[in-house]
Each structure stands twice: as C-alpha cells, then as structure tokens.
Amino acid sequence: DSTISMDPYIERTREAVRKIYAKVEAEKLGDKVKFGLVAFRSSTKAVPALEYVSKIYADPNKVKDGADFMAKVAELKQAKVSSSAFDEDAYAGVMDAVNSIDWRPYGARYVVLITDAGAIEGGDKLSSTGMSASQVRLEAAKPGVAIYTLHLKTPAGAKNHANAEAQYRNLSSYGGTNLSLYYPVNAGDVNEFGKKVDALSEAITQQVKAAYQGED
C-alpha cells in the first residue's frame, strides 16, 4: 500500500528486505531467494493525481541481488494526495503480483500484502479488478501463491478494521486448510510492524533454506 500515511511502513519494509538480503547472501542463498515489490493505490479515474492503481517496482526475476532490489525500490514513496475513499485497491496489487510475475522458477511462492485500509470490493465502481477476496484467493492458488496479510490497524481506520479484517482473513486462508496467514498490527505501531515483517521475512527465508537442504 503506497497511499498517503504509508511512508513509515514503506521504509520499514525496505529495511526488513535489506536485512534479509544481507543474511541470504551471507548464507550463499542469493540464487535461491528473490524478493519483488508491487505498490498499489486506488482509482486514478476518481483521483488522477494518485498516478497509478498498481505498479511493479521490482520483478523478482529481474532482481540481481539485494543492492539491485534496493535501487529498484528507492523511488517508492507514499501518494501526495488522498484517495477518494478509505478502502484502497489492494486486490489490484495482489493480482498484478499474481499475473505479471513469472512464478515458474520458484518452488515456494509468497505474496505479502501490507496495508492500513480495507480493499475495494469487486462490485464497487472504483474496483479495477471486479473481484472479491475469494476470487483473488482462488486466482492466486492457480500458480500456488500463498498470500500473507499484514493489516495495520491504525486509529484513522478504526471504523474500517472489522470489515477489512474479514476481507483479509478470507484472502489469506491457505488452500483447503484452516490456516490463516493474516497478521494484524494493533494501532499500526511501526516498531511492532517492523518486528512482524522481520520475523515473516526470516521465516520465509528459513523455509526456503530448509527445502533447499532437503527437509520436508
């Protein structure tokens, strides 16, 4: 989510990925773990100054190493203007990641959605995908992508939290299991968010390392 108010979280996400890349490269896993970054906002028809609905800043297939990733995402900043509604087009960002990235080279496939707002539902005229959480989840399952959600529960979105949580719990239900990959960050605390994004990145990297070493 690169809408207004998101700069602290964007910066902390960059920092988490930078740290993980350093660890990955130290463990000689650089060719086994790749990160990309897709930013999303909301309808540019409603607010042209938002500049884009969804934009790929870093395609993991085109990222050489940690330094290259940081260079590609260096210009990512929050929007200069507000969207026309509190909900953002999160599904556009997820679907861009699912459809525009070639996932075939990767055994483990993850999308980590980071947002402080609910998602515009498919029936809304501002939706660019026309899709619901269930539909997006099913589309992501086709290439075998697991969707994690880090939901920033900031004070500004208090009235939106319950509805957004229901959307993202649905979106982040994995396969036919009852496993939920939904993680709320209470009060949108940047430090708590930082700890969670660090832990999540570390867990994903360790899963890849374990698989590479032949573990289940």
Side-chain angles (χ1 to χ4, degrees):
D1 185 343
S2 64
T3 54
I4 212 156
S5 80
M6 286 296 294
D7 260 356
Y9 305 101
I10 291 169
E11 188 53 44
R12 190 60 183 79
T13 301
R14 269 196 289 250
E15 172 65 11
V17 176
R18 187 192 64 75
K19 290 196 290 188
I20 290 296
Y21 257 121
K23 187 162 188 174
V24 160
E25 287 161 7
E27 295 185 9
K28 304 292 190 287
L29 289 171
D31 62 335
K32 301 290 185 291
V33 181
K34 300 288 184 184
F35 287 90
L37 194 146
V38 179
F40 66 87
R41 291 177 177 170
S42 191
S43 173
T44 51
K45 291 179 182 176
V47 184
L50 284 174
E51 299 176 338
Y52 58 82
V53 178
S54 177
K55 180 178 178 178
I56 296 176
Y57 276 82
D59 180 331
N61 292 292
K62 297 175 183 175
V63 173
K64 299 184 188 73
D65 53 27
D68 188 36
F69 175 88
M70 297 308 291
K72 284 178 165 60
V73 305
E75 293 181 7
L76 174 59
K77 296 278 191 297
Q78 69 182 29
K80 294 183 175 69
V81 298
S82 296
S83 306
S84 59
F86 190 80
D87 284 346
E88 310 291 358
D89 206 348
Y91 300 153
V94 174
M95 288 306 301
D96 205 3
V98 169
N99 290 330
S100 300
I101 304 297
D102 181 4
W103 294 91
R104 291 174 297 180
Y106 308 108
R109 301 160 185 180
Y110 308 88
V111 164
V112 181
L113 170 63
I114 300 170
T115 183
D116 66 350
I120 297 170
E121 281 296 323
D124 192 301
K125 67 181 187 298
L126 295 178
S127 170
S128 66
T129 64
M131 299 173 79
S132 67
S134 296
Q135 290 171 311
V136 174
R137 175 167 46 78
L138 290 171
E139 286 301 307
K142 291 177 182 177
V145 172
I147 304 172
Y148 286 83
T149 301
L150 289 174
H151 178 202
L152 310 172
K153 291 189 168 181
T154 59
K159 294 178 182 177
N160 180 259
H161 290 165
N163 185 60
E165 178 171 341
Q167 290 177 310
Y168 296 138
R169 283 195 180 278
N170 182 357
L171 183 71
S172 290
S173 296
Y174 184 63
T177 71
N178 290 320
L179 181 65
S180 175
L181 305 177
Y182 168 85
Y183 295 90
V185 180
N186 293 324
D189 182 82
V190 176
N191 289 328
E192 185 190 346
F193 167 73
K195 290 175 185 174
K196 288 196 175 184
V197 78
D198 282 346
L200 185 54
S201 302
E202 171 76 13
I204 289 172
T205 303
Q206 287 304 315
Q207 285 178 27
V208 173
K209 183 180 178 183
Y212 176 59
Q213 292 176 337
E215 297 175 28
D216 287 341

